[in-house]
């Protein structure tokens, strides 16, 4: 996580750096800082809290810089304090460093430096880097950086400046993304090229320990063995998309409300209705690649993993292909068996999640083809995978994923129909599935129209500190997602559980203070779910049901019902999840929680 930005050129380096880290705030917002060279001296300013707090301090300090680096932090080593905020400097204030990633061998390096007389002022792993560079510096900045970097283990993207070298920034990246943008008589360094795409779209993506010496309109790149290498600039096509809150109090609410439109975008131009199938223009695989799939492995984290879990049910039900779905952070440390015919689907809104990226790299090394589903054009996973299907959800600013999730479900469903049509599904069956997809935007709008009713229920239950979300089959991953939404933005303990498992232990927690949100939209298992809800009721548990219109049997069981339009089981998680998102939003609002940027979280999780 963490966002790095650097600027050298004829525009105001202070202004450019602050603007840059504001765009990177989705990567962390615990603290922020800026440093640069001014008349042969390093000047810096740091603040705990968001970039807006730093801006106020910078203004008071009247900073003028010739070159700048800046950082917005998501704390890993050390609490989110001003002392631990980046940039970090050596004791003589000659070198300043901003860092994204984790330096795993920092305890040993720190010990060695302490023995040499160095005093540390922060608890971070990063602080060893400026001290190391300063101790190795003998007039050659690049040489000192090279030697220091060769001693680091772990994942790191670094931007480094030296008070004696105001004409350059040195950028280093190893298993952590870093982009260098080259404009006319200026240059940028950023964790995300979108942060400077308004100024230049000529970009170089560093990787594998490469070091770049970046000057105004110019760069040189060196590989790990210190050889200068030729790296051409790539032109990124997409312009940064800007999202404004408009009439909404929070981005999260705005993004929940955008779902009818973005769901439409998810399938627009992709349906081949006459043939009851689907075509993705980004899917570069040929028919034989897709026909030879014998097994699918799906990877993701958090909400993206929940979408993958739903897809596993869909693909096995409809396309009859065996599916394994894995949490990337667990999978990457397995020694995976990847039999011939395995096709990998990596799901990531951001396209930058470190665990999913590492897992897919390992699978590609084993020869598997990787299809990524992601929302961000030009992200690392977009660039590295064999093909990428875009979610078309538009920028998702709220840390809590909402519209990206429902678009993931729809795209995975469309992919399923396509695979099934290539195998056994007949045209009429395919057409019926496409009709169900086309009805979703209107059905989701109907859920949004019940906002007031959902908000009233949320207010009445917002004082509870524990919730269960229960469902069966498709409603089980949906219950995991519903519980995650509530946890993330309202800080309430919520457990998503397969309803049939309650009697194997968790039912011990049910009482009048622990309400259950029952996701009732899986027709095939509804009778079984009703039995499970009766067991909850018998223990004085309150039940809030989210159920398709016309569902019978709930009147004696549910204390509250949120009716959602009926659809097929495979897609029922879409309207159900929108209702659960609104419920979580209004509980969080009632509790006064910070909704768009919840504590301890970040939008893009670029550390393990
Ligand atoms: O960008 P990704 O989809 O790879 O992110 C994965 C998770 O970090 C993400 O879904 C997270 O769980 C969200 N905050 C959920 O709302």
């Amino acid at each position: 996580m963490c966002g790095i930005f650097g600027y050298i050129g004829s525009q105001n380096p202070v202004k450019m750096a602050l603007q840059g880290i504001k765009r990177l705030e989705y990567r962390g917002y615990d603290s922020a800082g800026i440093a640069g060279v001014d008349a042969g001296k390093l000047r810096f300013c740091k603040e705990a809290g968001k970039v807006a707090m730093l801006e106020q301090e910078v203004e008071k300090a009247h900073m003028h810089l010739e070159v700048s680096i800046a950082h917005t932090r998501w704390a890993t080593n050390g609490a989110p304090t001003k002392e631990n905020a980046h940039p970090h400097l050596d004791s003589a204030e000659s070198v300043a460093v901003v860092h994204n990633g984790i330096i795993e061998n920092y305890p040993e390096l720190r010990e060695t430096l302490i023995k040499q007389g160095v005093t540390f002022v922060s608890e971070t792993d990063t602080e060893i880097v400026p001290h190391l560079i300063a101790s190795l510096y003998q007039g050659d900045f690049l040489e000192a950086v090279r030697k220091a970097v060769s001693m680091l283990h772990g994942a790191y993207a670094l931007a480094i400046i030296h008070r004696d070298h105001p004409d350059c920034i040195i950028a280093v990246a190893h298993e952590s993304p870093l982009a260098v943008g080259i404009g006319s008589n200026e240059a940028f360094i950023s964790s995300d090229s979108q942060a400077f795409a308004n100024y230049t779209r000529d970009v170089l993506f560093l990787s594998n320990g490469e070091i770049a010496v970046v000057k105004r309109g110019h760069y040189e790149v060196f590989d790990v063995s210190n050889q200068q290498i030729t790296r051409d600039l790539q032109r990124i096509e997409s312009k940064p998309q800007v999202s404004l809150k408009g009439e909404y109090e929070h981005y999260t609410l705005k993004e929940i409300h955008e779902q009818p439109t973005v769901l439409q975008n998810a399938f627009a131009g992709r349906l081949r209705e006459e043939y009851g199938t689907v075509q993705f223009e980004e899917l570069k695989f040929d028919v034989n690649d897709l026909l030879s799939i014998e097994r699918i492995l799906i990877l993701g984290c958090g909400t993206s993993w929940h979408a993958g879990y739903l897809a596993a049910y869909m693909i096995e039900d409809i396309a009859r292909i065996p599916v394994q779905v894995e949490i990337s952070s667990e999978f990457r440390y397995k020694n995976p068996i990847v039999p011939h015919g395995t096709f990998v689907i990596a799901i990531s809104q951001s396209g930058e999640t470190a665990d999913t990226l590492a897992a897919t790299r390992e699978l590609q090394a084993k020869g598997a083809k990787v299809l990524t589903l992601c929302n961000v054009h030009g992200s690392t996973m977009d660039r590295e995978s064999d093909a990428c299907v875009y979610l078309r959800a538009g920028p998702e600013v709220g840390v809590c994923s909402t519209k990206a999730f429902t678009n993931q479900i729809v795209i995975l469903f469309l992919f399923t129909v396509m695979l099934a049509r290539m195998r056994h599904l007949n045209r009429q069956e395919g057409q019926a599935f496409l009709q169900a997809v086309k009805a979703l935007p209107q059905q989701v709008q109907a859920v949004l129209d019940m906002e007031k009713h959902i908000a009233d229920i949320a207010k009445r239950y917002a004082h509870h500190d524990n919730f269960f979300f229960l469902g069966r089959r498709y409603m089980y991953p949906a219950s995991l997602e519903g519980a995650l939404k509530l946890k993330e933005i309202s800080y309430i303990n919520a457990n998503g559980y397969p309803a049939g498992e309650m009697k194997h232990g968790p039912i011990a927690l049910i009482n009048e203070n622990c309400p259950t949100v029952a996701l009732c939209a899986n027709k095939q298992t509804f009778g079984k779910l009703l039995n499970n809800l009766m067991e909850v009721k018998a223990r004085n548990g309150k039940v809030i049901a989210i159920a398709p219109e016309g569902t019978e049997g709930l009147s004696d069981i549910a204390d509250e019902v949120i009716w959602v339009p009926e659809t097929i089981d495979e897609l029922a998680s879409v309207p159900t999840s929108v209702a659960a998102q609104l419920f979580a939003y209004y509980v969080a609002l009632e509790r006064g929680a910070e909704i768009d940027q919840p504590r301890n979280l970040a939008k893009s999780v670029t550390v393990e």
Side-chain angles (χ1 to χ4, degrees):
M1 343 264 259
C2 300
I4 291 178
F5 199 86
Y7 178 78
I8 185 159
S10 43
Q11 304 192 61
N12 179 343
V14 176
K15 199 176 127 220
M16 296 302 277
L18 290 174
Q19 197 181 82
I21 54 171
K22 258 198 195 156
R23 286 185 175 270
L24 296 173
E25 219 171 12
Y26 71 89
R27 305 173 74 91
Y29 37 79
D30 289 338
S31 59
I34 178 170
V37 184
D38 180 19
K41 287 201 169 130
L42 277 188
R43 293 194 67 198
F44 62 94
C45 186
K46 317 187 205 189
E47 202 46 58
K50 298 189 176 156
V51 176
M53 311 276 288
L54 175 71
E55 268 182 322
Q56 289 172 11
E57 292 308 303
V58 167
E59 201 162 315
K60 282 187 220 154
H62 301 292
M63 277 186 121
H64 296 284
L65 302 173
E66 294 156 49
V67 53
S68 63
I69 55 172
H71 189 266
T72 178
R73 180 169 187 247
W74 186 82
T76 50
N77 287 86
T81 60
K82 186 169 174 170
E83 292 69 36
N84 290 332
H86 300 213
H88 289 284
L89 282 75
D90 64 308
S91 311
E93 298 188 357
S94 61
V95 179
V97 174
V98 288
H99 167 218
N100 174 32
I102 296 181
I103 295 163
E104 286 164 6
N105 60 335
Y106 88 95
E108 302 97 86
L109 293 170
R110 187 176 164 112
E111 215 41 53
T112 312
L113 286 160
I114 288 172
K115 282 189 190 136
Q116 290 169 10
V118 171
T119 307
F120 281 80
V121 294
S122 79
E123 304 159 292
T124 64
D125 51 341
T126 307
E127 197 190 339
I128 58 145
V129 182
H131 290 302
L132 265 183
I133 296 171
S135 71
L136 296 163
Y137 179 71
Q138 291 179 331
D140 186 336
F141 183 23
L142 176 60
E143 189 56 21
V145 171
R146 273 176 180 161
K147 284 186 180 156
V149 164
S150 71
M151 296 160 81
L152 306 180
H153 297 163
Y156 46 84
L158 303 163
I160 312 161
I161 51 172
H162 195 291
R163 69 178 174 206
D164 299 340
H165 302 271
D167 62 333
C168 74
I169 305 174
I170 296 188
V172 189
H174 182 61
E175 292 190 8
S176 197
L178 197 56
V180 176
I182 302 294
S184 104
N185 204 29
E186 63 183 350
F188 305 79
I189 288 167
S190 176
S191 306
D192 175 353
S193 58
Q194 291 296 311
F196 57 67
N198 273 335
Y199 299 98
T200 181
R201 288 199 262 146
D202 291 328
V203 180
L204 168 77
F205 295 98
L206 296 177
S207 59
N208 300 327
E210 287 166 350
I211 302 181
V213 179
V214 181
K215 299 189 172 177
R216 289 168 173 241
H218 177 74
Y219 66 98
E220 285 175 341
V221 184
F222 301 86
D223 67 12
V224 267
S225 48
N226 298 339
Q227 296 303 310
Q228 185 165 357
I229 50 173
T230 309
R231 289 284 308 273
D232 294 331
L233 295 172
Q234 267 173 257
R235 190 155 181 84
I236 48 166
E237 290 309 326
S238 62
K239 283 201 188 122
Q241 291 174 291
V242 183
S243 178
L244 300 171
K245 260 193 288 196
E247 68 197 80
Y248 293 98
E249 195 176 342
H250 295 101
Y251 279 106
T252 304
L253 187 61
K254 177 187 177 232
E255 288 159 7
I256 291 172
H257 276 267
E258 281 173 350
Q259 288 173 106
T261 309
V262 300
L263 281 168
Q264 184 94 39
N265 294 342
F267 61 76
R270 287 172 167 168
L271 309 186
R272 298 289 167 266
E273 290 184 70
E274 195 187 340
Y275 299 99
T277 191
V278 175
Q279 199 178 345
F280 295 98
E281 68 177 39
E282 310 99 308
L283 204 61
K284 293 181 221 133
F285 304 114
D286 71 28
V287 174
N288 289 329
D289 288 330
L290 297 172
L291 278 173
S292 60
I293 297 174
E294 288 172 24
R295 183 177 160 270
I296 293 179
L297 171 58
I298 303 182
L299 295 165
C301 297
T303 290
S304 294
W305 173 63
H306 299 156
Y309 210 141
L310 283 162
Y313 284 109
M314 290 173 194
I315 297 171
E316 292 199 343
D317 270 357
I318 302 173
R320 307 299 296 149
I321 299 171
V323 183
Q324 179 186 353
V325 55
E326 296 269 358
I327 295 175
S328 313
S329 56
E330 284 300 310
F331 181 82
R332 64 180 289 189
Y333 290 107
K334 285 183 171 178
N335 183 8
I337 300 164
V338 190
H340 181 75
T342 301
F343 182 82
V344 178
I345 305 178
I347 309 174
S348 175
Q349 185 284 133
S350 61
E352 298 293 349
T353 298
D355 287 317
T356 306
L357 192 54
T360 54
R361 282 176 180 160
E362 170 63 13
L363 287 161
Q364 281 177 313
K366 284 185 176 281
K369 287 246 170 28
V370 175
L371 165 67
T372 289
L373 253 61
C374 104
N375 200 31
V376 182
H377 288 249
S379 60
T380 310
M381 286 172 65
D382 177 9
R383 285 182 279 115
E384 291 193 9
S385 55
D386 299 286
C388 181
V389 168
Y390 299 110
L391 299 181
R392 299 182 180 169
E396 195 179 61
V397 178
V399 165
C400 157
S401 188
T402 52
K403 58 178 181 167
F405 176 62
T406 43
N407 271 31
Q408 284 167 343
I409 300 171
V410 166
I411 289 167
L412 286 160
F413 181 77
L414 296 179
F415 186 69
T416 304
V417 172
M418 186 194 76
L419 290 181
R421 280 287 286 132
M422 295 172 94
R423 292 167 168 76
H424 51 269
L425 201 74
N426 70 35
R427 185 200 300 217
Q428 286 75 21
E429 289 166 322
Q431 285 168 334
F433 281 134
L434 300 190
Q435 285 309 312
V437 171
K438 284 173 69 185
L440 281 174
Q442 233 182 341
Q443 292 172 331
V444 165
Q445 187 55 53
V447 179
L448 295 173
D449 292 344
M450 284 185 308
E451 185 167 8
K452 166 111 186 34
H453 171 59
I454 298 173
D456 288 345
I457 298 175
K459 272 184 206 158
R460 287 203 296 282
Y461 286 81
H463 62 284
H464 289 286
D465 291 325
N466 293 291
F467 276 79
F468 270 101
F469 281 68
L470 300 183
R472 300 185 76 128
R473 280 188 50 81
Y474 289 97
M475 289 298 108
Y476 165 49
S479 75
L480 294 175
E481 176 61 8
L484 179 62
K485 296 303 90 161
L486 194 64
K487 281 188 260 220
E488 266 185 298
I489 61 173
S490 70
Y491 314 145
I492 288 174
N493 176 37
N495 276 304
Y497 234 82
E501 271 292 294
M502 286 297 278
K503 56 189 169 295
H504 298 289
I507 201 163
L509 296 170
I510 294 289
N511 62 22
E512 63 283 9
N513 296 318
C514 179
T516 291
V517 179
L519 309 190
C520 305
N522 200 90
K523 292 185 211 70
Q524 189 203 1
T525 54
F526 179 64
K528 303 285 175 203
L529 176 73
L530 268 188
N531 296 340
N532 304 136
L533 296 180
M534 280 177 201
E535 291 154 11
V536 167
K537 210 62 210 154
R539 285 151 185 91
N540 293 325
K542 293 260 187 289
V543 174
I544 303 161
I546 302 178
E549 280 151 0
T551 305
E552 290 179 3
L554 283 169
S555 55
D556 294 339
I557 295 176
D559 296 275
E560 318 282 349
V561 184
I562 300 168
W563 296 110
V564 294
E566 193 193 337
T567 176
I568 54 175
D569 280 6
E570 293 85 345
L571 289 174
S573 52
V574 174
T576 296
S577 296
V578 175
Q581 291 164 1
L582 283 172
F583 179 75
Y585 175 83
Y586 281 104
V587 169
L589 194 68
E590 183 69 13
R591 289 171 76 106
E594 182 140 4
I595 294 178
D596 284 337
Q597 293 184 322
R599 71 181 182 210
N600 305 340
L601 300 180
K603 186 73 186 157
S604 180
V605 184
T606 58
V607 291
E608 297 200 45

